[in-house]
Amino acid sequence: QSVLTQPPSVSGTPGQRVTISCSGSSSNIGGNSVFWYQQLPGAAPKVVIYSSSQRPSGVPDRFSASKSGASASLTISGLQSEDEAHYFCAAWEDGLSGPVFGGGTKLTVL
Amino acid sequence: QVQLQESAPGLVKPSQTLSLTCSVSGGSIRSAEYYWTWLRQSPGKGLEWIGHTYYSGRAFYNPSLKSRVSLSVDTSKNQFSLKLNSLTAADTAVYFCARDVNGGHFDVWGQGTLVTVAS
């Protein structure tokens, strides 16, 4: 059972917009930055969003994210087949001195 | 470009101790900016933070594993290491080392190494 809650799966067709939610509490998302990771099969995760809404260089601007209270969301616009992957949210957990993660959401591009 | 590479222990037996090393190349482990971190991912499951260490050797652990885990740093070899004892099948997972820039922001990852606990 993961500390942060994500839907197990979402899907969309090429060109569509999809949103992945991530729900936590005041001790993690509510008080700290949120990070989003993309994981392709057999590969290590790759950060696509840091500090709740910032994109690292090299990540397409189709990826955006926001945070409100103890919830966060990742939005992918203009969906492409290469976006098919697992997506995880993460946030620092006060009192743990470490991060907690969501269970992951599998994005399927139909 | 900093790169991380985990050692590959493969199959370990129940009750034994897992030892993993992460070699850092392309940069120095001697930086107060980063937490050098171990995470794991069980088959089909999400990520779990195991713990992290600073180059000074100070370490923080996930309470769920704290009684069984130990992290260390060898600055002379530019490596950091994980030891996890009293292994059970529940410890079977892909183990990753990673660099934490800022409280959960992992900007560099190792490729991951599958550890299977079985007799």
Side-chain angles (χ1 to χ4, degrees):
Chain A
Q1 186 103 9
S2 299
V3 174
L4 306 182
T5 301
Q6 297 180 236
S9 64
V10 297
S11 63
T13 57
Q16 275 191 329
R17 181 174 68 183
V18 296
T19 297
I20 299 171
S21 61
C22 177
S23 176
S25 68
S26 58
S27 63
N28 42 65
I29 293 177
N32 299 294
S33 290
V34 179
F35 307 90
W36 289 93
Y37 293 89
Q38 176 194 64
Q39 187 174 31
L40 298 171
K46 166 193 165 186
V47 61
V48 293
I49 295 288
Y50 67 96
S51 296
S52 302
S53 61
Q54 304 301 303
R55 267 190 325 275
S57 60
V59 174
D61 60 7
R62 302 184 291 102
F63 288 82
S64 63
S66 64
K67 185 184 94 165
S68 177
S71 296
S73 61
L74 172 71
T75 297
I76 308 172
S77 305
L79 201 59
Q80 298 184 5
S81 58
E82 67 205 51
D83 300 330
E84 187 164 288
H86 278 88
Y87 292 85
F88 295 90
C89 58
W92 196 257
E93 177 72 41
D94 296 336
L96 180 65
S97 294
V100 290
F101 295 88
T105 299
K106 179 173 172 53
L107 168 61
T108 301
V109 181
L110 301 169
Chain B
Q1 182 85 1
V2 173
Q3 293 184 316
L4 306 180
Q5 175 77 50
E6 301 95 344
S7 56
L11 180 67
V12 288
K13 296 185 185 307
S15 81
Q16 288 189 336
T17 295
L18 170 66
S19 295
L20 290 175
T21 296
C22 184
S23 297
V24 181
S25 60
S28 175
I29 201 170
R30 287 179 168 270
S31 173
E33 295 180 57
Y34 307 120
Y35 312 150
W36 302 98
T37 304
W38 288 97
L39 308 101
R40 68 182 184 180
Q41 186 172 32
S42 302
K45 300 284 181 62
L47 289 157
E48 180 181 26
W49 173 72
I50 297 172
H52 64 244
T53 181
Y54 297 97
Y55 81 95
S56 64
R58 186 180 184 194
F60 293 84
Y61 303 106
N62 190 321
S64 67
L65 297 168
K66 189 174 182 178
S67 64
R68 299 195 291 131
V69 68
S70 175
L71 303 187
S72 61
V73 173
D74 187 336
T75 55
S76 67
K77 294 182 178 179
N78 225 32
Q79 295 176 338
F80 60 106
S81 299
L82 160 75
K83 288 188 185 300
L84 181 64
N85 60 36
S86 304
L87 293 172
T88 70
D91 295 311
T92 293
V94 176
Y95 285 72
F96 294 99
C97 60
R99 187 177 77 172
D100 188 344
V101 179
N102 179 25
H105 181 180
F106 300 103
D107 68 332
V108 183
W109 294 72
Q111 84 279 10
T113 185
L114 176 62
V115 174
T116 303
V117 182
S119 53

